[in-house]
Amino acid sequence: MRMHKNISLRPFNTFGIEARAAFFCFVDDAQQIDKVHAFIHQNNIPLLILGQGSNILFTRDFDGLVAYVNFSGIALIGDDAQNVWLDVKAGTSWETLIDYCIENHYCGLENLTWIPGKVGSAPIQNIGAYGVELKDVLHSVAAYDFQTGQNLPFSNEDCHFSYRNSIFKHFKGRYFITQVTFKLSKNFQPVLNYEGLRKYLETRNIKPTLENIRNAVRDIRKQKLPEVGVTGSAGSFFKNPVVSVDLFTELKEAYGEFPNYPSPDGYKVPAAWLIEQCGFKGIRRGDAGVWPGQPLILVNYGNATGKEILELAMEIMEAVQNRFKIKLEPEVNII
């Protein structure tokens, strides 16, 4: 495994931000992680594990080792009358996995189509879209522990999943996820509790088959989101905040009806609505901007720096806090 020095990270993050890594390596096999472990300890430097770089914003150079996850593969390891179990290596493209499942009629991931990234990153964020979260279909995770040098199994429960959160997010740099095992159904049951998806199908008189759900989600996302590789972005920049019942009541009195979703801790309010109400939809500060089709997406129109994207994000957060008393929390990993 070759260690590269002073490497540009621009090709390795979907924001297209220029930053440099002091050291960089491609991890082509899970067996090479021991070498990564040894290198960072010998040189006393930090580690950044990078998949597709689709959920990261570089605001500076990284003075350590960036280990790029470069091993992939999908294996059917078990099935019964109702379900199948798939072992998927961490470097597998998420869309490649979706393609495989659709072709083989394995159900459960179709609502999560067209999410940029690799499989190993999905549990960290507990990715979710259109009424489905990763935790709904994940069986277990295998990860290398840099603290002990051991390969460890994590059950679904061990991962401590919550909204865009997991145990892996709280121990950044400690665990290198090598494989994810999915439990998927052979029997298609459409998940249509997301209003936008349901209306898309109903207005077009489209039957909710496995393939049609996948195609509908992909079409909706293409209409709303910038294309990866064309316009720099990292998907949803902010989480949808959950507000208390008291604050929700106060906001209703001040603003009347507004979009919300009941939550165990109160009410979830779409961050996109809050941002749009504060006048940021489509706004641009040089090459840093807010996507016109979806205010939740911050974009790099060409040569924005990470600091310029972050400054815009902080301006948005301050405006939402001042107007609604709601603190937005970034979903993107900021380096």
Side-chain angles (χ1 to χ4, degrees):
M1 183 176 64
R2 182 182 175 188
M3 292 293 172
H4 305 268
K5 294 183 179 180
N6 191 29
I7 295 297
S8 171
L9 296 172
R10 187 165 192 162
F12 301 103
N13 72 94
T14 57
F15 249 126
I17 297 295
E18 177 57 50
R20 305 196 77 81
F23 299 94
F24 182 97
C25 68
F26 291 100
V27 182
D28 296 318
D29 189 285
Q31 303 304 316
Q32 295 179 340
I33 301 175
D34 279 326
K35 296 180 180 179
V36 171
H37 191 184
F39 187 85
I40 61 173
H41 280 278
Q42 288 168 4
N43 293 276
N44 193 28
I45 56 174
L47 170 69
L48 176 63
I49 302 162
L50 197 62
Q52 191 176 333
S54 58
N55 195 49
I56 196 165
L57 174 66
F58 288 106
T59 62
R60 56 180 173 80
D61 293 339
F62 188 75
D63 191 23
L65 171 63
V66 173
Y68 184 83
V69 187
N70 205 37
F71 51 95
S72 61
I74 303 170
L76 174 65
I77 61 165
D79 72 321
D80 59 25
Q82 303 295 325
N83 303 295
V84 296
W85 286 261
L86 302 178
D87 274 353
V88 187
K89 292 182 180 180
T92 306
S93 160
W94 185 256
E95 203 65 8
T96 296
L97 173 59
I98 300 290
D99 288 341
Y100 178 90
C101 292
I102 299 297
E103 289 169 7
N104 290 280
H105 203 81
Y106 299 152
C107 313
L109 293 175
E110 56 277 1
N111 289 46
L112 300 179
T113 195
W114 226 58
I115 296 177
K118 297 188 175 184
V119 168
S121 304
I124 300 172
Q125 193 75 0
N126 183 27
I127 62 172
Y130 301 94
V132 174
E133 288 188 325
L134 184 77
K135 66 178 180 62
D136 302 327
V137 291
L138 182 140
H139 177 266
S140 59
V141 171
Y144 181 95
D145 185 351
F146 280 99
Q147 186 168 300
T148 65
Q150 296 179 316
N151 290 293
L152 301 176
F154 290 82
S155 67
N156 189 302
E157 293 75 17
D158 292 336
C159 295
H160 298 293
F161 288 125
S162 58
Y163 174 62
R164 301 298 177 271
N165 206 356
S166 72
I167 190 173
F168 307 109
K169 207 167 185 181
H170 294 278
F171 293 93
K172 291 180 180 178
R174 175 172 174 177
Y175 297 111
F176 190 128
I177 293 174
T178 57
Q179 184 171 278
V180 180
T181 301
F182 295 88
K183 180 183 178 181
L184 303 174
S185 175
K186 293 180 177 180
N187 303 309
F188 176 63
Q189 294 291 334
V191 178
L192 298 174
N193 52 15
Y194 184 85
E195 184 179 8
L197 175 57
R198 188 174 63 253
K199 285 187 175 180
Y200 179 97
L201 296 171
E202 289 175 351
T203 56
R204 292 165 175 78
N205 196 28
I206 297 174
K207 183 181 178 180
T209 65
L210 182 67
E211 293 81 1
N212 287 345
I213 292 287
R214 192 271 179 95
N215 292 336
V217 170
R218 185 162 51 187
D219 191 40
I220 293 168
R221 293 181 72 90
K222 283 184 176 181
Q223 290 178 26
K224 295 170 57 177
L225 308 179
E227 185 175 351
V228 175
V230 177
T231 303
S233 77
S236 298
F237 197 93
F238 300 103
K239 296 180 182 179
N240 290 318
V242 176
V243 302
S244 67
V245 174
D246 288 343
L247 180 54
F248 177 76
T249 302
E250 183 180 332
L251 291 173
K252 280 197 72 173
E253 291 175 353
Y255 298 99
E257 294 297 326
F258 59 91
N260 65 86
Y261 308 93
S263 164
D265 301 318
Y267 291 86
K268 186 182 292 185
V269 180
W273 183 84
L274 297 169
I275 295 167
E276 184 170 359
Q277 293 303 304
C278 290
F280 285 95
K281 183 177 182 179
I283 203 168
R284 186 165 174 171
R285 302 273 190 269
D287 274 356
V290 178
W291 189 244
Q294 171 52 274
L296 204 53
I297 309 291
L298 302 191
V299 294
N300 172 14
Y301 283 107
N303 292 303
T305 65
K307 288 183 178 179
E308 289 170 338
I309 298 288
L310 182 58
E311 286 170 0
L312 177 57
M314 293 178 68
E315 182 183 350
I316 291 169
M317 293 168 68
E318 183 178 5
V320 171
Q321 176 75 51
N322 290 340
R323 180 168 180 180
F324 295 104
K325 302 179 186 177
I326 295 176
K327 182 179 179 180
L328 289 182
E329 183 180 349
E331 186 174 321
V332 170
N333 186 24
I334 298 171
I335 301 294

